[in-house]
Amino acid sequence: MAIKKQQIRTALTHVMHPQGDKDLVTLNMIEDLVVQDKFITFTIDLPEKNPKLENTLKEKCREAIHKFVDKDAVLDITTAVNISKFNKQENGKAAFPGQGHRQKKQQKRDEPEEVFPGVDNIIAVASGKGGVGKSTVAVNLACGLARTGAKVGLLDTDIYGPSIPTMFDSHERPNITAHKKLIPLKKHGVHFLSMGLLVDPDQAMIWRGPMVTSAVKQFMQEVEWGELDYMVLDLPPGTGDVQLTIVQTVPLTGAVVVSTPQTVALDDARKGVAMFKKVNVPVLGIVENMAYFVPPDMPDKKYHIFGKHGARELAKRIGTNFLGEIPLEQSVRESGDSGKPIVMEEDLKSKSAQAFVELSNNVIQQLAIRNKEQAATEKIDIKIKP
Ligand SMILES: Nc1ncnc2c1ncn2[C@@H]1O[C@H](COP(=O)(O)OP(=O)(O)O)[C@@H](O)[C@H]1O
Ligand SMILES: [Mg+2]
């Protein structure tokens, strides 16, 4: 049965503030409650920063919801410092247990749980437009990186159009650890998860933006990713609020932007690059997918059906690296549909398999340059309002 917001509020009335005799709901500390299926997110507002108390309260809230509502509920609890709210109560007197003179002047949002704590490099694969081969590139890049012996993760954040379950031919539901964390699946040497494994895309279609971003946040935080050299994120297509929020929630090491050579796709790719620059995420470069067509019976022929070198020239124009061109080959589509990405081809015979190996090497190289020259990307914590 679907979980109701009121059930959650009632459960939280069982959580008492450790320094008083009132519960969190009575103290008006719970904000931004969103419930969708088994995903529950809310914020605990506090009058001042207190990491120890925050952890205790989060743990107690978790326990109460698992005990009184649903033992399988997946929670994303954030804490936030909200001085003005508590100052307004009871004529500005310290209405809050433990609240005293140590008030800070400015309202400050608190750091949420760390995203991907054991991951060295987080790479977002993005495109302005859908259907340009973003997932194909993400999947082959992840497998290409794993081919080098690296530990690699792949997260499909495209809730409305998840394609990784098909591209990996894996549809089983992930297991959950004793600590209620999801365990990623593993195939072709890549640890992966997709929203498509947990949420029915038809149902997700009606989700509003904030619901999508909070579900994606859970996917990053409530998963046992372990220690990884690379994490590849397949972002949803476009440069709207959802993409922007994901990009700002994760301390991305860099972004790979996928485009086809057509003008319409290039315009959107330019917007994609601009989005990352706006939020100070280094753009590792642009990949040109479907750069030219290779007929299966004439593997040495090249037909530039969508135009020639469009993405390469765009990269040059906007001062971004060009990471490589992937041919349009029937085998790429077939391998995507059959669950074995083309870069896993044993003999690397096809042009596209070779192109993906080259792409992976270029990404490794650009990451090395980026990590040498620039500091880690700062994450901006955005408050998600329901
Ligand atoms: N280089 C390519 N050659 C042949 N087919 C491709 C190529 N790139 C992508 N495709 C096919 O095009 C379709 C859309 O690709 P996909 O990666 O799902 O795009 P996106 O994630 O951008 O929506 C898929 O069927 C995929 O197999
Ligand atoms: Mg896709």
Side-chain angles (χ1 to χ4, degrees), residues 236-247:
T239 48
D241 281 350
V242 172
Q243 291 78 6
L244 203 57
T245 310
I246 297 173
V247 162

PDB file of all heavy atoms in Angstrom, residues 236-247:
ATOM      1  N   PRO A 236      19.953  12.579 -17.754  1.00  0.00           N
ATOM      2  CA  PRO A 236      18.807  12.683 -18.664  1.00  0.00           C
ATOM      3  C   PRO A 236      19.116  13.734 -19.739  1.00  0.00           C
ATOM      4  O   PRO A 236      19.894  14.652 -19.476  1.00  0.00           O
ATOM      5  CB  PRO A 236      17.665  13.171 -17.761  1.00  0.00           C
ATOM      6  CG  PRO A 236      18.174  13.136 -16.372  1.00  0.00           C
ATOM      7  CD  PRO A 236      19.663  13.090 -16.415  1.00  0.00           C
ATOM      8  N   PRO A 237      18.516  13.619 -20.928  1.00  0.00           N
ATOM      9  CA  PRO A 237      18.824  14.595 -21.977  1.00  0.00           C
ATOM     10  C   PRO A 237      18.301  15.987 -21.621  1.00  0.00           C
ATOM     11  O   PRO A 237      17.305  16.110 -20.919  1.00  0.00           O
ATOM     12  CB  PRO A 237      18.087  14.041 -23.203  1.00  0.00           C
ATOM     13  CG  PRO A 237      17.030  13.142 -22.660  1.00  0.00           C
ATOM     14  CD  PRO A 237      17.542  12.615 -21.361  1.00  0.00           C
ATOM     15  N   GLY A 238      18.990  16.993 -22.107  1.00  0.00           N
ATOM     16  CA  GLY A 238      18.518  18.358 -21.895  1.00  0.00           C
ATOM     17  C   GLY A 238      19.374  19.132 -20.917  1.00  0.00           C
ATOM     18  O   GLY A 238      20.352  18.613 -20.364  1.00  0.00           O
ATOM     19  N   THR A 239      19.007  20.395 -20.737  1.00  0.00           N
ATOM     20  CA  THR A 239      19.765  21.271 -19.844  1.00  0.00           C
ATOM     21  C   THR A 239      18.790  22.010 -18.927  1.00  0.00           C
ATOM     22  O   THR A 239      18.953  23.177 -18.635  1.00  0.00           O
ATOM     23  CB  THR A 239      20.596  22.300 -20.654  1.00  0.00           C
ATOM     24  OG1 THR A 239      19.732  22.882 -21.642  1.00  0.00           O
ATOM     25  CG2 THR A 239      21.759  21.660 -21.346  1.00  0.00           C
ATOM     26  N   GLY A 240      17.768  21.322 -18.482  1.00  0.00           N
ATOM     27  CA  GLY A 240      16.743  21.952 -17.631  1.00  0.00           C
ATOM     28  C   GLY A 240      17.087  21.850 -16.156  1.00  0.00           C
ATOM     29  O   GLY A 240      18.228  21.575 -15.775  1.00  0.00           O
ATOM     30  N   ASP A 241      16.061  22.056 -15.342  1.00  0.00           N
ATOM     31  CA  ASP A 241      16.252  22.086 -13.888  1.00  0.00           C
ATOM     32  C   ASP A 241      16.785  20.779 -13.328  1.00  0.00           C
ATOM     33  O   ASP A 241      17.621  20.765 -12.441  1.00  0.00           O
ATOM     34  CB  ASP A 241      14.910  22.372 -13.193  1.00  0.00           C
ATOM     35  CG  ASP A 241      14.588  23.849 -13.260  1.00  0.00           C
ATOM     36  OD1 ASP A 241      15.485  24.623 -13.660  1.00  0.00           O
ATOM     37  OD2 ASP A 241      13.447  24.213 -12.932  1.00  0.00           O
ATOM     38  N   VAL A 242      16.257  19.651 -13.873  1.00  0.00           N
ATOM     39  CA  VAL A 242      16.656  18.349 -13.335  1.00  0.00           C
ATOM     40  C   VAL A 242      18.151  18.148 -13.532  1.00  0.00           C
ATOM     41  O   VAL A 242      18.886  17.809 -12.599  1.00  0.00           O
ATOM     42  CB  VAL A 242      15.862  17.207 -14.006  1.00  0.00           C
ATOM     43  CG1 VAL A 242      16.404  15.856 -13.595  1.00  0.00           C
ATOM     44  CG2 VAL A 242      14.385  17.307 -13.666  1.00  0.00           C
ATOM     45  N   GLN A 243      18.607  18.414 -14.756  1.00  0.00           N
ATOM     46  CA  GLN A 243      20.037  18.240 -15.060  1.00  0.00           C
ATOM     47  C   GLN A 243      20.874  19.169 -14.191  1.00  0.00           C
ATOM     48  O   GLN A 243      21.882  18.760 -13.615  1.00  0.00           O
ATOM     49  CB  GLN A 243      20.333  18.553 -16.536  1.00  0.00           C
ATOM     50  CG  GLN A 243      19.769  17.575 -17.517  1.00  0.00           C
ATOM     51  CD  GLN A 243      18.282  17.776 -17.757  1.00  0.00           C
ATOM     52  OE1 GLN A 243      17.667  18.721 -17.281  1.00  0.00           O
ATOM     53  NE2 GLN A 243      17.689  16.863 -18.509  1.00  0.00           N
ATOM     54  N   LEU A 244      20.423  20.419 -14.117  1.00  0.00           N
ATOM     55  CA  LEU A 244      21.178  21.407 -13.358  1.00  0.00           C
ATOM     56  C   LEU A 244      21.295  20.993 -11.889  1.00  0.00           C
ATOM     57  O   LEU A 244      22.353  21.105 -11.285  1.00  0.00           O
ATOM     58  CB  LEU A 244      20.477  22.770 -13.480  1.00  0.00           C
ATOM     59  CG  LEU A 244      21.346  23.987 -13.240  1.00  0.00           C
ATOM     60  CD1 LEU A 244      22.539  24.003 -14.175  1.00  0.00           C
ATOM     61  CD2 LEU A 244      20.526  25.250 -13.422  1.00  0.00           C
ATOM     62  N   THR A 245      20.208  20.478 -11.345  1.00  0.00           N
ATOM     63  CA  THR A 245      20.243  20.087  -9.933  1.00  0.00           C
ATOM     64  C   THR A 245      21.187  18.908  -9.726  1.00  0.00           C
ATOM     65  O   THR A 245      21.985  18.904  -8.792  1.00  0.00           O
ATOM     66  CB  THR A 245      18.831  19.718  -9.429  1.00  0.00           C
ATOM     67  OG1 THR A 245      17.959  20.757  -9.803  1.00  0.00           O
ATOM     68  CG2 THR A 245      18.813  19.572  -7.928  1.00  0.00           C
ATOM     69  N   ILE A 246      21.115  17.922 -10.626  1.00  0.00           N
ATOM     70  CA  ILE A 246      22.010  16.765 -10.472  1.00  0.00           C
ATOM     71  C   ILE A 246      23.462  17.228 -10.537  1.00  0.00           C
ATOM     72  O   ILE A 246      24.290  16.887  -9.698  1.00  0.00           O
ATOM     73  CB  ILE A 246      21.744  15.695 -11.555  1.00  0.00           C
ATOM     74  CG1 ILE A 246      20.330  15.136 -11.409  1.00  0.00           C
ATOM     75  CG2 ILE A 246      22.785  14.575 -11.479  1.00  0.00           C
ATOM     76  CD1 ILE A 246      19.918  14.198 -12.519  1.00  0.00           C
ATOM     77  N   VAL A 247      23.717  18.054 -11.539  1.00  0.00           N
ATOM     78  CA  VAL A 247      25.071  18.525 -11.770  1.00  0.00           C
ATOM     79  C   VAL A 247      25.605  19.298 -10.563  1.00  0.00           C
ATOM     80  O   VAL A 247      26.782  19.253 -10.238  1.00  0.00           O
ATOM     81  CB  VAL A 247      25.054  19.410 -13.044  1.00  0.00           C
ATOM     82  CG1 VAL A 247      26.268  20.274 -13.132  1.00  0.00           C
ATOM     83  CG2 VAL A 247      24.906  18.554 -14.273  1.00  0.00           C
TER      84      VAL A 247
END
